[in-house]
Amino acid sequence: FPVENIRNFSIIAHVDHGKSTLADRLLEITGRILKTDRNKQVLDKLQVERERGITVKAQTASLVHNYEGKKYLLNLIDTPGHVDFSYEVSRSLSACQGVILVVDANEGIQAQTVANFFLAFEAQLSIIPVINKIDLKNADPERVEKQIAKVFDIPQEECIRISAKHGTNVESVLQAVIAKIPPPNMKIEDPMKALVFDSTFDHYRGVIANIALFGGEVCKGQKIVSAHTKKSYEVNEVGILTPEEQPTNKLSAGQVGYLIAGMKDVEEAQIGDTFFLQKHPVEPLPGFKSAKPMVFAGMYPTDQSEYNNLKSAVEKLTLNDSSVTVHRDSSPALGAGWRLGFLGLLHMEVFNQRLEQEYNASIILTAPTVPYKAVLSSAKLIKDYRNEVITIVNPMEFPDKSQVSQYLEPMVLGTIITPDEHIGKIMSLCQGRRAVQKSMVYIDDHRVMLKYLFPLNEIVVDFYDSLKSLSSGYASFDYEEAGYEPAELVKMEILLNSRSVEELTTIVHKEKAYSSGKAICERLKDSIPRQLFEVAIQAAIGSKIIARETVKAYRKNVLAKCYGGDITRKMKLLKRQAEGKKKMRSIGNVEVPKDAFINVLKRK
Ligand code: GDP
Ligand code: MG
């Protein structure tokens, strides 16, 4: 294919607006798949993607289409739809010259529509607006066109109305792709330069890297080098994706396809990396960054005897997802486990769900935390650390205030789109989460777009669920990273009869310390059984107690009634009975069932 007959594009949309369905129709029209219902959402390969209707890993397909007597190679680069994967989205987009922006004719513009639009807009791509689901009874394409004109400044007439489900007008989307999206501006004569925009692991063939050729040609037998790792490899196979891998003799400038070169680990082909020929080094493509986890959680097998099985499942899953970070961890209460880092909340949930579904694992996931930072004061700096700013992902490593000139917390800019009758409730929800409103715009007569700056920590637990429930499901939410800001953070410890419980230590904002301490104490009270003496449950910041609950002791007469006789025998009996019932952990003289930790540590 001559470069002028190649188009590289992506479909972007809010979840459920019809991206996968449209992709299926495009594959059908171009003869890549047959028209049967079995092929529904061909590009969503993972079970969790099919169930949740989201795309986690990007899939790509090269389509051949005849138009006005010419043959075109249309490379559809599927992007993950969610903000957690926004780095992957922007990498996929950098392999494109244009996008199809799909908006549901009934729901209109939603939070992810906005986020995805701006990723494409900032990358200076041609944008083809498509209104989908015009077959729906409540479809109001005109209203949605007006929203698009208002929010994105795209003339109403440019919108293409389709039904991806029924195939209505889908042909004109393909025509627009050919007419409006420019061919890639890349030359075969230039040195070979390949952008890695996705990679997967195959047990037999090793890493399969999805690449976009920004110049030159690459074929089997050549020696290539990764700009990021500096390692060199011999190319075993190149080809195009249909979406199945189909080997070809070579890939050339402007094309998109896959490359296999004996890499054993997805880390060797990280998203955003550049490959070049060993004999002809080039400057790497700009903007590579390693995946940066923003949400951390502890993970433990429900039953310690499952540890080895879980370990191998985690290893297998991370083979395909280099953005999850894994560190071994252990807790006296929950046993051996890991501390995992994820790109965001959805990423964490998807990982969890895949472990359960694909590997049948039963796990305990602890409440998520975010990476805080501390700017160390100079005295501490000279003594212990080389860096002035440290990142804290484990509350036990939280440096004391005396050593710190400032604590920092990660922020995100959130976009909420909602029918206006819910504005009041949503504003108070956001205020309760320490958010600062940045803007409020009507996108049509009844719908509002709100922007808030949130501390990331305030949205990692149940924010999205609360937003959904107080708007009866109508509000949508998306966010992007917004750097770090100073925050008054404190380390809160939980004490049982004055002994600190390591796994319940948390980092909290000063304003939230009281309510969060109180909640943990109450939950613990409900799950610690009565003992022979009183148990004080306290939340403390340094030496200051901020909340307290008490588990009363058994009363003597209760004991007398039940057992009678010698008191030490009674105690032994009681103890044995308790041990039989639940696995206990002793903290000082207090016996705590494992469930108590799970109740407090678990999300929700
Ligand atoms: P994605 O999340 O953007 O990939 O959305 P999907 O393609 O998975 O579609 C979400 C849901 O909308 C599915 O149940 C589709 O069958 C349905 N859908 C997609 N396109 C249309 C359409 O044109 N009309 C109607 N009525 N439903 C559609
Ligand atoms: Mg989809």
Side-chain angles (χ1 to χ4, degrees), residues 14-21 41 53 132-133 135-136 163-165:
H14 189 77
V15 62
D16 277 351
H17 283 197
K19 183 170 104 164
S20 304
T21 310
Q41 284 141 44
N132 186 31
K133 309 198 190 182
D135 59 291
L136 286 177
S163 164
K165 188 172 177 178

Side-chain angles (χ1 to χ4, degrees), residues 368-415:
T369 55
V370 302
Y372 292 107
K373 288 184 176 179
V375 183
L376 300 171
S377 49
S378 47
K380 182 70 182 168
L381 201 79
I382 296 159
K383 252 172 74 196
D384 294 343
Y385 294 94
R386 249 177 273 142
N387 291 330
E388 194 188 0
V389 181
I390 58 166
T391 302
I392 314 144
V393 293
N394 181 347
M396 294 307 288
E397 286 158 18
F398 190 73
D400 189 75
K401 199 157 174 50
S402 61
Q403 301 161 347
V404 168
S405 59
Q406 198 168 50
Y407 295 111
L408 302 164
E409 67 178 336
M411 306 296 290
V412 294
L413 183 64
T415 301

